[in-house]
Amino acid sequence: MATFASETNTYAQTPTMEYAGVRLEQLSVDHADDLAEVVTAGALDKIWYTSIPSAQQMVDDIKNRLALQDAGVMAPFAIIDVATGKAVGATTYLNIDQPNRRVEIGATYLSVAAQGSGINPAAKYLLLQRAFEELDCYSVAFCTHWHNAASRAAITRLGAKQDGVLRNHKYDPTTGTLRDTVIFSILPYEWPAVRTNLQARLERHGRL
């Protein structure tokens, strides 16, 4: 029997986690209809400086994420609003480097209706808690496009520190542009303050 990398790579596993009215669970093609609705309703795939799949691309995007999970380099989750039971977004650990205890949190998108509701802080809480308290990560990274000011601000609000900018990091054949990638990280000794900050935000949203 074949053994997939995700079966031996703890970081690529996707246990169900729940906190503050949000559940993260293994992404599957069963989530495709909900996620296609999320993308279409907010025209999320039209934002030029992101790489969010269209409704038509959703099944293929999910299958690609699952293939990366099988290769041991991604852990893809669906973000579930417990109140409705529907998927309102997706997120991942990506660029997994288990020998060096490093992951990146990214490839994330969230419905416009769910933004500002506390769902994103709850999802980040779950991912960071697992990274630092269960996986014993040395570093958790966040990367975003230089022009994605909202993402940069959101990462900063988490308490992540900017490490630097990779100039001309990626070429986008769709727009013909080169991406400058801004890199942030959170380290283990910073997690207690980040955790407290996230809990305070969730309290303000009435989720705790």
Side-chain angles (χ1 to χ4, degrees):
M1 177 182 293
T3 300
F4 293 110
S6 60
E7 296 175 356
T8 56
N9 185 334
T10 305
Y11 285 31
Q13 295 173 2
T14 49
T16 298
M17 303 181 284
E18 188 170 320
Y19 184 68
V22 174
R23 184 171 69 251
L24 298 185
E25 63 186 33
Q26 169 70 54
L27 180 69
S28 77
V29 292
D30 292 338
H31 298 111
D33 288 345
D34 282 354
L35 295 176
E37 181 181 334
V38 161
V39 170
T40 301
L44 300 181
D45 58 315
K46 305 301 183 184
I47 305 172
W48 73 271
Y49 47 74
T50 64
S51 300
I52 297 173
S54 67
Q56 294 74 25
Q57 297 168 327
M58 189 56 66
V59 170
D60 286 343
D61 181 77
I62 291 172
K63 289 180 177 178
N64 181 60
R65 293 184 186 214
L66 296 178
L68 291 171
Q69 182 178 25
D70 286 340
V73 295
M74 178 177 280
F77 294 89
I79 304 171
I80 309 297
D81 182 351
V82 173
T84 64
K86 298 188 66 173
V88 294
T91 191
T92 77
Y93 292 139
L94 70 160
N95 295 324
I96 289 173
D97 182 1
Q98 184 161 329
N100 291 303
R101 298 187 186 178
R102 298 177 62 88
V103 297
E104 177 186 335
I105 293 175
T108 302
Y109 57 92
L110 188 67
S111 74
V112 171
Q115 293 173 22
S117 69
I119 287 178
N120 185 53
K124 292 297 190 292
Y125 180 97
L126 289 166
L127 291 170
L128 288 166
Q129 181 183 54
R130 174 165 167 76
F132 289 120
E133 298 181 19
E134 297 180 29
L135 302 179
D136 197 24
C137 285
Y138 293 147
S139 177
V140 175
F142 300 82
C143 297
T144 192
H145 198 297
W146 174 267
H147 286 281
N148 195 342
S151 177
R152 291 166 63 187
I155 294 169
T156 300
R157 282 197 300 275
L158 283 175
K161 305 298 190 299
Q162 183 173 319
D163 295 324
V165 181
L166 294 177
R167 307 293 302 279
N168 283 0
H169 181 221
K170 293 181 179 179
Y171 176 71
D172 183 349
T174 303
T175 62
T177 60
L178 285 161
R179 160 175 159 158
D180 289 349
T181 298
V182 189
I183 303 175
F184 298 80
S185 66
I186 296 174
L187 304 182
Y189 77 90
E190 297 169 328
W191 166 232
V194 171
R195 179 179 56 207
T196 299
N197 177 52
L198 285 169
Q199 289 172 328
R201 290 172 61 184
L202 290 166
E203 286 180 359
R204 290 197 296 272
H205 285 291
R207 289 187 168 271
L208 294 182

